[in-house]
Amino acid sequence: MSGVRLTGVFGALLIAALVALSLAGDRVAGVRFDAQDSEHALEPPSRAHWLGTGALGRDLLARVSEGARVSLLVAVGATTLALLIGLGYGLLAGWVGGRVDGWLMRIVDVVYALPDVLVIVLLIEVLQGTLAAVPDIARRVAALVVALGFVGWVGIARLVRALVLQAREELWVEAARALGLRDRRILLRHVLPNVAGPILVAAAFQIPAAILAESTLSF
């Protein structure tokens, strides 16, 4: 097995282990993440508490695992929303072209120029007020997903547009047009599969960026 392949397998196993840990949540530690035990506060790592305990005697492994689950949920949800918006927006702008493309890209430039943290904070406040009837945790997670997704879609839209502008000039697109295929079928059956690789890579990088943005907002 080559060094590159071995590194890829190791990275995949590491990511899979982290995802499994986050999905399991505080069940990994065997205690709830919010369970307090003042008699065992600030203990070092041990068999009972693998990462030790905090100032209130709460198990740190349980808290890290539970926090990872929430972070993964927010990051994947925000990335999915950003991917859906950016994909549709970029496909439209790149395929139609002309003035429509120009106006759509000016909107992207305006959104891209706004400070991310300020926009996210404002959207979270608006959304939490709008979703006042939703339970607290669900409301906060939904607000984070929508806010981070709104900020993250512009980069994907730019990438998709550039790829579509390049793909629509290819000979296989001209052949599909000559066969009388509709634009929708050409986009979904021919263009999109051929440009999916870079888009999926960009979406993969969007997940850690969303986690970092979420941790920044927690302060």
Side-chain angles (χ1 to χ4, degrees), residues 71-72 74-84 112 116 120 145 147-157 159 198-214:
S71 295
L72 184 63
V74 171
V76 172
T79 300
T80 302
L81 179 60
L83 182 61
L84 292 176
Y112 198 79
D116 291 350
I120 292 173
V145 168
L148 293 174
F150 178 81
V151 171
W153 71 270
V154 289
I156 295 178
L159 174 62
I199 297 172
L200 292 177
V201 172
F205 280 105
Q206 194 80 18
I207 293 178
I211 294 176
L212 182 61
E214 180 198 357

PDB file of all heavy atoms in Angstrom, residues 71-72 74-84 112 116 120 145 147-157 159 198-214:
ATOM      1  N   SER A  71     -22.376  20.370  17.209  1.00  0.00           N
ATOM      2  CA  SER A  71     -21.565  21.055  16.198  1.00  0.00           C
ATOM      3  C   SER A  71     -21.671  20.371  14.846  1.00  0.00           C
ATOM      4  O   SER A  71     -21.776  21.035  13.808  1.00  0.00           O
ATOM      5  CB  SER A  71     -20.101  21.100  16.640  1.00  0.00           C
ATOM      6  OG  SER A  71     -19.947  21.887  17.801  1.00  0.00           O
ATOM      7  N   LEU A  72     -21.646  19.030  14.838  1.00  0.00           N
ATOM      8  CA  LEU A  72     -21.756  18.301  13.575  1.00  0.00           C
ATOM      9  C   LEU A  72     -23.125  18.502  12.950  1.00  0.00           C
ATOM     10  O   LEU A  72     -23.236  18.674  11.724  1.00  0.00           O
ATOM     11  CB  LEU A  72     -21.508  16.814  13.828  1.00  0.00           C
ATOM     12  CG  LEU A  72     -21.489  15.915  12.586  1.00  0.00           C
ATOM     13  CD1 LEU A  72     -20.336  16.314  11.669  1.00  0.00           C
ATOM     14  CD2 LEU A  72     -21.363  14.444  12.986  1.00  0.00           C
ATOM     15  N   VAL A  74     -25.139  21.111  13.295  1.00  0.00           N
ATOM     16  CA  VAL A  74     -25.205  22.473  12.757  1.00  0.00           C
ATOM     17  C   VAL A  74     -24.380  22.595  11.489  1.00  0.00           C
ATOM     18  O   VAL A  74     -24.822  23.176  10.490  1.00  0.00           O
ATOM     19  CB  VAL A  74     -24.728  23.487  13.816  1.00  0.00           C
ATOM     20  CG1 VAL A  74     -24.584  24.876  13.207  1.00  0.00           C
ATOM     21  CG2 VAL A  74     -25.692  23.523  14.995  1.00  0.00           C
ATOM     22  N   ALA A  75     -23.165  22.042  11.489  1.00  0.00           N
ATOM     23  CA  ALA A  75     -22.276  22.173  10.339  1.00  0.00           C
ATOM     24  C   ALA A  75     -22.827  21.470   9.103  1.00  0.00           C
ATOM     25  O   ALA A  75     -22.819  22.032   8.003  1.00  0.00           O
ATOM     26  CB  ALA A  75     -20.893  21.622  10.694  1.00  0.00           C
ATOM     27  N   VAL A  76     -23.319  20.243   9.283  1.00  0.00           N
ATOM     28  CA  VAL A  76     -23.866  19.501   8.144  1.00  0.00           C
ATOM     29  C   VAL A  76     -25.140  20.170   7.633  1.00  0.00           C
ATOM     30  O   VAL A  76     -25.354  20.292   6.418  1.00  0.00           O
ATOM     31  CB  VAL A  76     -24.146  18.034   8.541  1.00  0.00           C
ATOM     32  CG1 VAL A  76     -24.905  17.308   7.437  1.00  0.00           C
ATOM     33  CG2 VAL A  76     -22.835  17.317   8.831  1.00  0.00           C
ATOM     34  N   GLY A  77     -25.999  20.638   8.543  1.00  0.00           N
ATOM     35  CA  GLY A  77     -27.217  21.318   8.121  1.00  0.00           C
ATOM     36  C   GLY A  77     -26.922  22.609   7.375  1.00  0.00           C
ATOM     37  O   GLY A  77     -27.517  22.888   6.329  1.00  0.00           O
ATOM     38  N   ALA A  78     -25.990  23.406   7.899  1.00  0.00           N
ATOM     39  CA  ALA A  78     -25.633  24.672   7.249  1.00  0.00           C
ATOM     40  C   ALA A  78     -24.982  24.428   5.893  1.00  0.00           C
ATOM     41  O   ALA A  78     -25.256  25.147   4.915  1.00  0.00           O
ATOM     42  CB  ALA A  78     -24.692  25.473   8.149  1.00  0.00           C
ATOM     43  N   THR A  79     -24.126  23.414   5.814  1.00  0.00           N
ATOM     44  CA  THR A  79     -23.460  23.096   4.541  1.00  0.00           C
ATOM     45  C   THR A  79     -24.471  22.612   3.509  1.00  0.00           C
ATOM     46  O   THR A  79     -24.391  22.978   2.331  1.00  0.00           O
ATOM     47  CB  THR A  79     -22.378  22.029   4.760  1.00  0.00           C
ATOM     48  OG1 THR A  79     -21.402  22.521   5.685  1.00  0.00           O
ATOM     49  CG2 THR A  79     -21.691  21.679   3.452  1.00  0.00           C
ATOM     50  N   THR A  80     -25.418  21.794   3.935  1.00  0.00           N
ATOM     51  CA  THR A  80     -26.456  21.318   3.014  1.00  0.00           C
ATOM     52  C   THR A  80     -27.284  22.473   2.486  1.00  0.00           C
ATOM     53  O   THR A  80     -27.561  22.558   1.272  1.00  0.00           O
ATOM     54  CB  THR A  80     -27.363  20.303   3.721  1.00  0.00           C
ATOM     55  OG1 THR A  80     -26.574  19.211   4.207  1.00  0.00           O
ATOM     56  CG2 THR A  80     -28.426  19.780   2.773  1.00  0.00           C
ATOM     57  N   LEU A  81     -27.667  23.398   3.367  1.00  0.00           N
ATOM     58  CA  LEU A  81     -28.444  24.557   2.937  1.00  0.00           C
ATOM     59  C   LEU A  81     -27.625  25.428   1.987  1.00  0.00           C
ATOM     60  O   LEU A  81     -28.138  25.871   0.941  1.00  0.00           O
ATOM     61  CB  LEU A  81     -28.873  25.373   4.162  1.00  0.00           C
ATOM     62  CG  LEU A  81     -29.682  26.642   3.882  1.00  0.00           C
ATOM     63  CD1 LEU A  81     -30.982  26.305   3.156  1.00  0.00           C
ATOM     64  CD2 LEU A  81     -29.974  27.391   5.178  1.00  0.00           C
ATOM     65  N   ALA A  82     -26.367  25.683   2.326  1.00  0.00           N
ATOM     66  CA  ALA A  82     -25.499  26.497   1.462  1.00  0.00           C
ATOM     67  C   ALA A  82     -25.294  25.832   0.111  1.00  0.00           C
ATOM     68  O   ALA A  82     -25.274  26.505  -0.931  1.00  0.00           O
ATOM     69  CB  ALA A  82     -24.155  26.732   2.151  1.00  0.00           C
ATOM     70  N   LEU A  83     -25.157  24.516   0.112  1.00  0.00           N
ATOM     71  CA  LEU A  83     -24.955  23.779  -1.145  1.00  0.00           C
ATOM     72  C   LEU A  83     -26.191  23.855  -2.033  1.00  0.00           C
ATOM     73  O   LEU A  83     -26.074  24.071  -3.247  1.00  0.00           O
ATOM     74  CB  LEU A  83     -24.617  22.329  -0.825  1.00  0.00           C
ATOM     75  CG  LEU A  83     -24.318  21.414  -2.021  1.00  0.00           C
ATOM     76  CD1 LEU A  83     -23.106  21.917  -2.788  1.00  0.00           C
ATOM     77  CD2 LEU A  83     -24.084  19.981  -1.550  1.00  0.00           C
ATOM     78  N   LEU A  84     -27.372  23.700  -1.441  1.00  0.00           N
ATOM     79  CA  LEU A  84     -28.600  23.762  -2.232  1.00  0.00           C
ATOM     80  C   LEU A  84     -28.804  25.148  -2.843  1.00  0.00           C
ATOM     81  O   LEU A  84     -29.116  25.276  -4.036  1.00  0.00           O
ATOM     82  CB  LEU A  84     -29.796  23.386  -1.355  1.00  0.00           C
ATOM     83  CG  LEU A  84     -29.858  21.922  -0.893  1.00  0.00           C
ATOM     84  CD1 LEU A  84     -31.036  21.712   0.045  1.00  0.00           C
ATOM     85  CD2 LEU A  84     -29.958  20.990  -2.089  1.00  0.00           C
ATOM     86  N   TYR A 112     -21.367  38.959  -0.340  1.00  0.00           N
ATOM     87  CA  TYR A 112     -19.988  38.587  -0.015  1.00  0.00           C
ATOM     88  C   TYR A 112     -19.263  39.712   0.710  1.00  0.00           C
ATOM     89  O   TYR A 112     -18.357  39.457   1.518  1.00  0.00           O
ATOM     90  CB  TYR A 112     -19.243  38.240  -1.302  1.00  0.00           C
ATOM     91  CG  TYR A 112     -17.978  37.451  -1.080  1.00  0.00           C
ATOM     92  CD1 TYR A 112     -18.029  36.084  -0.826  1.00  0.00           C
ATOM     93  CD2 TYR A 112     -16.731  38.065  -1.145  1.00  0.00           C
ATOM     94  CE1 TYR A 112     -16.880  35.354  -0.628  1.00  0.00           C
ATOM     95  CE2 TYR A 112     -15.572  37.343  -0.951  1.00  0.00           C
ATOM     96  CZ  TYR A 112     -15.650  35.985  -0.693  1.00  0.00           C
ATOM     97  OH  TYR A 112     -14.502  35.265  -0.492  1.00  0.00           O
ATOM     98  N   ASP A 116     -19.314  38.692   7.876  1.00  0.00           N
ATOM     99  CA  ASP A 116     -19.991  37.432   8.171  1.00  0.00           C
ATOM    100  C   ASP A 116     -20.554  37.380   9.594  1.00  0.00           C
ATOM    101  O   ASP A 116     -21.714  37.014   9.800  1.00  0.00           O
ATOM    102  CB  ASP A 116     -19.025  36.264   7.963  1.00  0.00           C
ATOM    103  CG  ASP A 116     -18.684  36.058   6.496  1.00  0.00           C
ATOM    104  OD1 ASP A 116     -19.345  36.701   5.659  1.00  0.00           O
ATOM    105  OD2 ASP A 116     -17.786  35.264   6.201  1.00  0.00           O
ATOM    106  N   ILE A 120     -24.466  36.979  10.618  1.00  0.00           N
ATOM    107  CA  ILE A 120     -24.897  35.787  11.331  1.00  0.00           C
ATOM    108  C   ILE A 120     -25.601  36.151  12.632  1.00  0.00           C
ATOM    109  O   ILE A 120     -26.664  35.606  12.957  1.00  0.00           O
ATOM    110  CB  ILE A 120     -23.688  34.870  11.609  1.00  0.00           C
ATOM    111  CG1 ILE A 120     -23.150  34.290  10.304  1.00  0.00           C
ATOM    112  CG2 ILE A 120     -24.074  33.739  12.556  1.00  0.00           C
ATOM    113  CD1 ILE A 120     -21.860  33.523  10.461  1.00  0.00           C
ATOM    114  N   VAL A 145     -28.211  27.083  11.789  1.00  0.00           N
ATOM    115  CA  VAL A 145     -28.134  26.433  10.484  1.00  0.00           C
ATOM    116  C   VAL A 145     -28.486  27.407   9.373  1.00  0.00           C
ATOM    117  O   VAL A 145     -27.764  27.524   8.370  1.00  0.00           O
ATOM    118  CB  VAL A 145     -29.071  25.202  10.447  1.00  0.00           C
ATOM    119  CG1 VAL A 145     -29.238  24.695   9.021  1.00  0.00           C
ATOM    120  CG2 VAL A 145     -28.510  24.093  11.327  1.00  0.00           C
ATOM    121  N   ALA A 147     -28.529  30.762   9.475  1.00  0.00           N
ATOM    122  CA  ALA A 147     -27.605  31.890   9.424  1.00  0.00           C
ATOM    123  C   ALA A 147     -26.283  31.491   8.771  1.00  0.00           C
ATOM    124  O   ALA A 147     -25.776  32.195   7.884  1.00  0.00           O
ATOM    125  CB  ALA A 147     -27.359  32.426  10.834  1.00  0.00           C
ATOM    126  N   LEU A 148     -25.713  30.360   9.174  1.00  0.00           N
ATOM    127  CA  LEU A 148     -24.449  29.912   8.591  1.00  0.00           C
ATOM    128  C   LEU A 148     -24.627  29.496   7.133  1.00  0.00           C
ATOM    129  O   LEU A 148     -23.738  29.717   6.305  1.00  0.00           O
ATOM    130  CB  LEU A 148     -23.882  28.753   9.398  1.00  0.00           C
ATOM    131  CG  LEU A 148     -23.424  29.084  10.823  1.00  0.00           C
ATOM    132  CD1 LEU A 148     -23.007  27.824  11.567  1.00  0.00           C
ATOM    133  CD2 LEU A 148     -22.278  30.086  10.798  1.00  0.00           C
ATOM    134  N   GLY A 149     -25.768  28.907   6.816  1.00  0.00           N
ATOM    135  CA  GLY A 149     -26.031  28.540   5.431  1.00  0.00           C
ATOM    136  C   GLY A 149     -26.167  29.749   4.530  1.00  0.00           C
ATOM    137  O   GLY A 149     -25.695  29.745   3.386  1.00  0.00           O
ATOM    138  N   PHE A 150     -26.780  30.820   5.046  1.00  0.00           N
ATOM    139  CA  PHE A 150     -26.934  32.045   4.258  1.00  0.00           C
ATOM    140  C   PHE A 150     -25.584  32.681   3.955  1.00  0.00           C
ATOM    141  O   PHE A 150     -25.372  33.221   2.867  1.00  0.00           O
ATOM    142  CB  PHE A 150     -27.826  33.039   5.010  1.00  0.00           C
ATOM    143  CG  PHE A 150     -27.998  34.342   4.297  1.00  0.00           C
ATOM    144  CD1 PHE A 150     -28.912  34.469   3.268  1.00  0.00           C
ATOM    145  CD2 PHE A 150     -27.243  35.453   4.641  1.00  0.00           C
ATOM    146  CE1 PHE A 150     -29.071  35.674   2.597  1.00  0.00           C
ATOM    147  CE2 PHE A 150     -27.388  36.659   3.978  1.00  0.00           C
ATOM    148  CZ  PHE A 150     -28.313  36.775   2.951  1.00  0.00           C
ATOM    149  N   VAL A 151     -24.675  32.623   4.894  1.00  0.00           N
ATOM    150  CA  VAL A 151     -23.352  33.207   4.687  1.00  0.00           C
ATOM    151  C   VAL A 151     -22.500  32.331   3.773  1.00  0.00           C
ATOM    152  O   VAL A 151     -21.693  32.835   2.986  1.00  0.00           O
ATOM    153  CB  VAL A 151     -22.644  33.412   6.047  1.00  0.00           C
ATOM    154  CG1 VAL A 151     -21.191  33.815   5.848  1.00  0.00           C
ATOM    155  CG2 VAL A 151     -23.361  34.482   6.860  1.00  0.00           C
ATOM    156  N   GLY A 152     -22.672  31.010   3.850  1.00  0.00           N
ATOM    157  CA  GLY A 152     -21.781  30.107   3.140  1.00  0.00           C
ATOM    158  C   GLY A 152     -22.117  29.837   1.689  1.00  0.00           C
ATOM    159  O   GLY A 152     -21.285  29.286   0.965  1.00  0.00           O
ATOM    160  N   TRP A 153     -23.302  30.220   1.216  1.00  0.00           N
ATOM    161  CA  TRP A 153     -23.697  29.830  -0.135  1.00  0.00           C
ATOM    162  C   TRP A 153     -23.016  30.627  -1.236  1.00  0.00           C
ATOM    163  O   TRP A 153     -22.913  30.161  -2.383  1.00  0.00           O
ATOM    164  CB  TRP A 153     -25.217  29.954  -0.311  1.00  0.00           C
ATOM    165  CG  TRP A 153     -25.717  31.372  -0.347  1.00  0.00           C
ATOM    166  CD1 TRP A 153     -26.103  32.119   0.714  1.00  0.00           C
ATOM    167  CD2 TRP A 153     -25.904  32.199  -1.508  1.00  0.00           C
ATOM    168  NE1 TRP A 153     -26.514  33.369   0.298  1.00  0.00           N
ATOM    169  CE2 TRP A 153     -26.393  33.441  -1.055  1.00  0.00           C
ATOM    170  CE3 TRP A 153     -25.683  32.012  -2.867  1.00  0.00           C
ATOM    171  CZ2 TRP A 153     -26.672  34.490  -1.927  1.00  0.00           C
ATOM    172  CZ3 TRP A 153     -25.962  33.052  -3.743  1.00  0.00           C
ATOM    173  CH2 TRP A 153     -26.458  34.280  -3.276  1.00  0.00           C
ATOM    174  N   VAL A 154     -22.523  31.820  -0.927  1.00  0.00           N
ATOM    175  CA  VAL A 154     -21.985  32.686  -1.980  1.00  0.00           C
ATOM    176  C   VAL A 154     -20.732  32.086  -2.623  1.00  0.00           C
ATOM    177  O   VAL A 154     -20.541  32.158  -3.841  1.00  0.00           O
ATOM    178  CB  VAL A 154     -21.694  34.097  -1.434  1.00  0.00           C
ATOM    179  CG1 VAL A 154     -22.982  34.844  -1.153  1.00  0.00           C
ATOM    180  CG2 VAL A 154     -20.844  34.039  -0.178  1.00  0.00           C
ATOM    181  N   GLY A 155     -19.851  31.505  -1.810  1.00  0.00           N
ATOM    182  CA  GLY A 155     -18.645  30.901  -2.361  1.00  0.00           C
ATOM    183  C   GLY A 155     -18.967  29.728  -3.275  1.00  0.00           C
ATOM    184  O   GLY A 155     -18.350  29.560  -4.338  1.00  0.00           O
ATOM    185  N   ILE A 156     -19.941  28.916  -2.871  1.00  0.00           N
ATOM    186  CA  ILE A 156     -20.344  27.781  -3.701  1.00  0.00           C
ATOM    187  C   ILE A 156     -20.991  28.273  -4.998  1.00  0.00           C
ATOM    188  O   ILE A 156     -20.768  27.700  -6.070  1.00  0.00           O
ATOM    189  CB  ILE A 156     -21.298  26.873  -2.916  1.00  0.00           C
ATOM    190  CG1 ILE A 156     -20.568  26.254  -1.718  1.00  0.00           C
ATOM    191  CG2 ILE A 156     -21.884  25.790  -3.817  1.00  0.00           C
ATOM    192  CD1 ILE A 156     -21.438  25.374  -0.843  1.00  0.00           C
ATOM    193  N   ALA A 157     -21.787  29.331  -4.917  1.00  0.00           N
ATOM    194  CA  ALA A 157     -22.437  29.873  -6.112  1.00  0.00           C
ATOM    195  C   ALA A 157     -21.408  30.362  -7.126  1.00  0.00           C
ATOM    196  O   ALA A 157     -21.541  30.126  -8.331  1.00  0.00           O
ATOM    197  CB  ALA A 157     -23.378  31.015  -5.718  1.00  0.00           C
ATOM    198  N   LEU A 159     -18.301  29.284  -7.447  1.00  0.00           N
ATOM    199  CA  LEU A 159     -17.617  28.118  -7.999  1.00  0.00           C
ATOM    200  C   LEU A 159     -18.487  27.422  -9.038  1.00  0.00           C
ATOM    201  O   LEU A 159     -18.010  27.073 -10.129  1.00  0.00           O
ATOM    202  CB  LEU A 159     -17.261  27.156  -6.868  1.00  0.00           C
ATOM    203  CG  LEU A 159     -16.663  25.809  -7.283  1.00  0.00           C
ATOM    204  CD1 LEU A 159     -15.341  26.007  -8.011  1.00  0.00           C
ATOM    205  CD2 LEU A 159     -16.490  24.895  -6.080  1.00  0.00           C
ATOM    206  N   PRO A 198     -15.436  19.108  -8.010  1.00  0.00           N
ATOM    207  CA  PRO A 198     -15.006  20.315  -7.289  1.00  0.00           C
ATOM    208  C   PRO A 198     -16.053  20.863  -6.327  1.00  0.00           C
ATOM    209  O   PRO A 198     -15.712  21.413  -5.275  1.00  0.00           O
ATOM    210  CB  PRO A 198     -14.714  21.322  -8.416  1.00  0.00           C
ATOM    211  CG  PRO A 198     -14.468  20.484  -9.623  1.00  0.00           C
ATOM    212  CD  PRO A 198     -15.338  19.286  -9.470  1.00  0.00           C
ATOM    213  N   ILE A 199     -17.324  20.692  -6.668  1.00  0.00           N
ATOM    214  CA  ILE A 199     -18.389  21.191  -5.799  1.00  0.00           C
ATOM    215  C   ILE A 199     -18.425  20.404  -4.491  1.00  0.00           C
ATOM    216  O   ILE A 199     -18.567  20.982  -3.403  1.00  0.00           O
ATOM    217  CB  ILE A 199     -19.747  21.110  -6.519  1.00  0.00           C
ATOM    218  CG1 ILE A 199     -19.744  22.005  -7.761  1.00  0.00           C
ATOM    219  CG2 ILE A 199     -20.877  21.510  -5.582  1.00  0.00           C
ATOM    220  CD1 ILE A 199     -20.972  21.838  -8.629  1.00  0.00           C
ATOM    221  N   LEU A 200     -18.280  19.081  -4.579  1.00  0.00           N
ATOM    222  CA  LEU A 200     -18.278  18.253  -3.371  1.00  0.00           C
ATOM    223  C   LEU A 200     -17.062  18.544  -2.500  1.00  0.00           C
ATOM    224  O   LEU A 200     -17.153  18.532  -1.269  1.00  0.00           O
ATOM    225  CB  LEU A 200     -18.310  16.775  -3.758  1.00  0.00           C
ATOM    226  CG  LEU A 200     -19.607  16.281  -4.420  1.00  0.00           C
ATOM    227  CD1 LEU A 200     -19.476  14.826  -4.820  1.00  0.00           C
ATOM    228  CD2 LEU A 200     -20.795  16.488  -3.490  1.00  0.00           C
ATOM    229  N   VAL A 201     -15.926  18.823  -3.125  1.00  0.00           N
ATOM    230  CA  VAL A 201     -14.733  19.184  -2.360  1.00  0.00           C
ATOM    231  C   VAL A 201     -14.962  20.495  -1.614  1.00  0.00           C
ATOM    232  O   VAL A 201     -14.616  20.629  -0.427  1.00  0.00           O
ATOM    233  CB  VAL A 201     -13.510  19.287  -3.289  1.00  0.00           C
ATOM    234  CG1 VAL A 201     -12.308  19.857  -2.535  1.00  0.00           C
ATOM    235  CG2 VAL A 201     -13.162  17.921  -3.860  1.00  0.00           C
ATOM    236  N   ALA A 202     -15.552  21.483  -2.310  1.00  0.00           N
ATOM    237  CA  ALA A 202     -15.847  22.765  -1.660  1.00  0.00           C
ATOM    238  C   ALA A 202     -16.830  22.591  -0.512  1.00  0.00           C
ATOM    239  O   ALA A 202     -16.694  23.221   0.543  1.00  0.00           O
ATOM    240  CB  ALA A 202     -16.405  23.746  -2.692  1.00  0.00           C
ATOM    241  N   ALA A 203     -17.814  21.711  -0.700  1.00  0.00           N
ATOM    242  CA  ALA A 203     -18.785  21.456   0.371  1.00  0.00           C
ATOM    243  C   ALA A 203     -18.116  20.787   1.564  1.00  0.00           C
ATOM    244  O   ALA A 203     -18.461  21.077   2.722  1.00  0.00           O
ATOM    245  CB  ALA A 203     -19.922  20.591  -0.161  1.00  0.00           C
ATOM    246  N   ALA A 204     -17.148  19.907   1.304  1.00  0.00           N
ATOM    247  CA  ALA A 204     -16.440  19.243   2.398  1.00  0.00           C
ATOM    248  C   ALA A 204     -15.649  20.244   3.233  1.00  0.00           C
ATOM    249  O   ALA A 204     -15.593  20.140   4.460  1.00  0.00           O
ATOM    250  CB  ALA A 204     -15.505  18.164   1.837  1.00  0.00           C
ATOM    251  N   PHE A 205     -15.045  21.232   2.577  1.00  0.00           N
ATOM    252  CA  PHE A 205     -14.321  22.262   3.308  1.00  0.00           C
ATOM    253  C   PHE A 205     -15.264  23.205   4.045  1.00  0.00           C
ATOM    254  O   PHE A 205     -14.860  23.883   4.990  1.00  0.00           O
ATOM    255  CB  PHE A 205     -13.434  23.067   2.350  1.00  0.00           C
ATOM    256  CG  PHE A 205     -12.151  22.387   2.004  1.00  0.00           C
ATOM    257  CD1 PHE A 205     -11.963  21.790   0.774  1.00  0.00           C
ATOM    258  CD2 PHE A 205     -11.105  22.325   2.922  1.00  0.00           C
ATOM    259  CE1 PHE A 205     -10.779  21.145   0.450  1.00  0.00           C
ATOM    260  CE2 PHE A 205      -9.912  21.701   2.614  1.00  0.00           C
ATOM    261  CZ  PHE A 205      -9.744  21.098   1.376  1.00  0.00           C
ATOM    262  N   GLN A 206     -16.516  23.254   3.603  1.00  0.00           N
ATOM    263  CA  GLN A 206     -17.497  24.134   4.238  1.00  0.00           C
ATOM    264  C   GLN A 206     -17.868  23.640   5.636  1.00  0.00           C
ATOM    265  O   GLN A 206     -18.209  24.440   6.516  1.00  0.00           O
ATOM    266  CB  GLN A 206     -18.748  24.201   3.358  1.00  0.00           C
ATOM    267  CG  GLN A 206     -19.714  25.312   3.703  1.00  0.00           C
ATOM    268  CD  GLN A 206     -19.271  26.644   3.139  1.00  0.00           C
ATOM    269  OE1 GLN A 206     -18.451  26.702   2.240  1.00  0.00           O
ATOM    270  NE2 GLN A 206     -19.815  27.719   3.674  1.00  0.00           N
ATOM    271  N   ILE A 207     -17.797  22.330   5.869  1.00  0.00           N
ATOM    272  CA  ILE A 207     -18.185  21.764   7.161  1.00  0.00           C
ATOM    273  C   ILE A 207     -17.267  22.239   8.285  1.00  0.00           C
ATOM    274  O   ILE A 207     -17.751  22.750   9.303  1.00  0.00           O
ATOM    275  CB  ILE A 207     -18.233  20.228   7.080  1.00  0.00           C
ATOM    276  CG1 ILE A 207     -19.383  19.797   6.157  1.00  0.00           C
ATOM    277  CG2 ILE A 207     -18.422  19.619   8.467  1.00  0.00           C
ATOM    278  CD1 ILE A 207     -19.483  18.299   5.965  1.00  0.00           C
ATOM    279  N   PRO A 208     -15.932  22.098   8.185  1.00  0.00           N
ATOM    280  CA  PRO A 208     -15.087  22.625   9.272  1.00  0.00           C
ATOM    281  C   PRO A 208     -15.175  24.140   9.408  1.00  0.00           C
ATOM    282  O   PRO A 208     -15.035  24.674  10.518  1.00  0.00           O
ATOM    283  CB  PRO A 208     -13.676  22.180   8.879  1.00  0.00           C
ATOM    284  CG  PRO A 208     -13.740  21.892   7.428  1.00  0.00           C
ATOM    285  CD  PRO A 208     -15.121  21.392   7.169  1.00  0.00           C
ATOM    286  N   ALA A 209     -15.401  24.845   8.282  1.00  0.00           N
ATOM    287  CA  ALA A 209     -15.560  26.296   8.370  1.00  0.00           C
ATOM    288  C   ALA A 209     -16.801  26.661   9.181  1.00  0.00           C
ATOM    289  O   ALA A 209     -16.787  27.614   9.971  1.00  0.00           O
ATOM    290  CB  ALA A 209     -15.653  26.894   6.959  1.00  0.00           C
ATOM    291  N   ALA A 210     -17.880  25.907   9.005  1.00  0.00           N
ATOM    292  CA  ALA A 210     -19.106  26.152   9.777  1.00  0.00           C
ATOM    293  C   ALA A 210     -18.893  25.852  11.256  1.00  0.00           C
ATOM    294  O   ALA A 210     -19.394  26.581  12.126  1.00  0.00           O
ATOM    295  CB  ALA A 210     -20.247  25.302   9.215  1.00  0.00           C
ATOM    296  N   ILE A 211     -18.132  24.787  11.567  1.00  0.00           N
ATOM    297  CA  ILE A 211     -17.843  24.465  12.963  1.00  0.00           C
ATOM    298  C   ILE A 211     -17.018  25.578  13.605  1.00  0.00           C
ATOM    299  O   ILE A 211     -17.259  25.978  14.755  1.00  0.00           O
ATOM    300  CB  ILE A 211     -17.111  23.115  13.055  1.00  0.00           C
ATOM    301  CG1 ILE A 211     -18.038  21.988  12.610  1.00  0.00           C
ATOM    302  CG2 ILE A 211     -16.625  22.863  14.485  1.00  0.00           C
ATOM    303  CD1 ILE A 211     -17.377  20.629  12.582  1.00  0.00           C
ATOM    304  N   LEU A 212     -16.038  26.094  12.862  1.00  0.00           N
ATOM    305  CA  LEU A 212     -15.216  27.185  13.382  1.00  0.00           C
ATOM    306  C   LEU A 212     -16.051  28.442  13.602  1.00  0.00           C
ATOM    307  O   LEU A 212     -15.892  29.130  14.624  1.00  0.00           O
ATOM    308  CB  LEU A 212     -14.069  27.476  12.406  1.00  0.00           C
ATOM    309  CG  LEU A 212     -13.087  28.572  12.817  1.00  0.00           C
ATOM    310  CD1 LEU A 212     -12.399  28.214  14.130  1.00  0.00           C
ATOM    311  CD2 LEU A 212     -12.053  28.799  11.724  1.00  0.00           C
ATOM    312  N   ALA A 213     -16.953  28.745  12.668  1.00  0.00           N
ATOM    313  CA  ALA A 213     -17.818  29.914  12.833  1.00  0.00           C
ATOM    314  C   ALA A 213     -18.746  29.752  14.025  1.00  0.00           C
ATOM    315  O   ALA A 213     -18.997  30.709  14.774  1.00  0.00           O
ATOM    316  CB  ALA A 213     -18.635  30.132  11.553  1.00  0.00           C
ATOM    317  N   GLU A 214     -19.261  28.545  14.218  1.00  0.00           N
ATOM    318  CA  GLU A 214     -20.134  28.285  15.359  1.00  0.00           C
ATOM    319  C   GLU A 214     -19.374  28.477  16.675  1.00  0.00           C
ATOM    320  O   GLU A 214     -19.898  29.065  17.630  1.00  0.00           O
ATOM    321  CB  GLU A 214     -20.678  26.866  15.277  1.00  0.00           C
ATOM    322  CG  GLU A 214     -21.591  26.488  16.424  1.00  0.00           C
ATOM    323  CD  GLU A 214     -21.766  25.006  16.567  1.00  0.00           C
ATOM    324  OE1 GLU A 214     -21.208  24.264  15.731  1.00  0.00           O
ATOM    325  OE2 GLU A 214     -22.439  24.582  17.523  1.00  0.00           O
TER     326      GLU A 214
END
